[in-house]
Amino acid sequence: MKLGDGTCPHGPLRCGPRGPRRTAAALAALLAAAALVSGCGIRTTTVPVDAGAAPSRVPCRLTASDVTARSPDSVTAEVYLVCASQLVTVDREVAQGTVGSDRLKAARALLKEVQQAPPESERRAGFSTAVPAGLRVDPARADDPAGTLRLSSQPEDLSAEALAQLVCTYAESETLQTDGSVVLGGPGAYPPRAYLCTSQTKARPQDPTTPDALRLD
């Protein structure tokens, strides 16, 4: 066999482009890549990672320690507050006679309860109110339908949540609801309308289509 004629003196496995030099270089590159991944890459771990506290859920419920004993000269009335984007009832203590047969007195007493800022115990449970503090209930007019309550603001000018709170709170009172609805008007010349407190009203008080309003002819 002559040298220089293109024939490898050590056999085909030790010479040429597929010989041991290229094989060794490829193996070295693989080892270097493996070392890089194990040393600098992202490693899996079985240790839990602290990503912070999970979002808390408000209970919308008062504990037994938050409920105070009722005084003997008072009665319990249910009012609707906002909690977790829904309407939820809470018990409020009101003086006897304020939620009786006198419609105006009952409406004013319940309005006061539903518009005042919830106490600390209710705030901790997630309760809030959207009813404005300056809202008032005025006497009905002579030509108003039976059972009408006039507000110092047009009902439709209140926020959807505030109107839903007020309607559902009044609907719980036998003194204030008429055939299952609450008749509300405002200071303007617009005629009063009857409002219904439905399951949709309680579930989605922020929806401007609730509470359902009925025309009074």
Side-chain angles (χ1 to χ4, degrees):
M1 179 176 57
K2 297 181 180 180
L3 297 177
D5 61 355
T7 304
C8 178
H10 304 292
L13 295 179
R14 299 182 60 185
C15 301
R18 300 181 181 275
R21 293 182 180 178
R22 182 164 182 174
T23 302
L27 180 60
L30 289 175
L31 292 175
L36 180 62
V37 170
S38 62
C40 301
I42 298 175
R43 294 177 294 174
T44 59
T45 177
T46 58
V47 180
V49 177
D50 184 8
S56 60
R57 293 184 178 182
V58 293
C60 295
R61 183 173 59 251
L62 298 177
T63 63
S65 60
D66 292 328
V67 179
T68 58
R70 180 173 59 86
S71 63
D73 58 345
S74 65
V75 294
T76 300
E78 286 189 341
V79 300
Y80 279 86
L81 299 180
V82 180
C83 190
S85 300
Q86 297 180 348
L87 293 188
V88 183
T89 57
V90 296
D91 291 337
R92 290 289 175 80
E93 187 177 340
V94 296
Q96 289 186 0
T98 55
V99 291
S101 58
D102 189 324
R103 293 180 56 82
L104 187 59
K105 183 183 292 186
R108 286 174 172 171
L110 290 175
L111 173 62
K112 179 181 178 181
E113 294 299 325
V114 78
Q115 71 186 162
Q116 70 180 0
E120 177 62 26
S121 59
E122 292 178 358
R123 290 198 300 272
R124 286 198 307 268
F127 290 98
S128 63
T129 183
V131 180
L135 188 66
R136 303 186 316 275
V137 182
D138 297 323
R141 299 172 184 172
D143 56 346
D144 281 341
T148 297
L149 297 170
R150 287 277 178 176
L151 304 178
S152 58
S153 297
Q154 286 296 131
E156 58 269 21
D157 290 340
L158 298 174
S159 69
E161 288 181 328
L163 181 57
Q165 278 186 257
L166 195 58
V167 167
C168 288
T169 297
Y170 282 173
E172 291 289 338
S173 170
E174 295 182 359
T175 304
L176 301 180
Q177 60 93 9
T178 303
D179 296 329
S181 65
V182 178
V183 183
L184 299 177
Y190 299 102
R193 304 174 73 181
Y195 295 88
L196 296 175
C197 177
T198 65
S199 57
Q200 175 73 5
T201 306
K202 298 174 185 178
R204 296 184 56 83
Q206 68 280 357
D207 192 332
T209 63
T210 59
D212 294 333
L214 309 175
R215 292 186 58 183
L216 298 174
D217 296 327

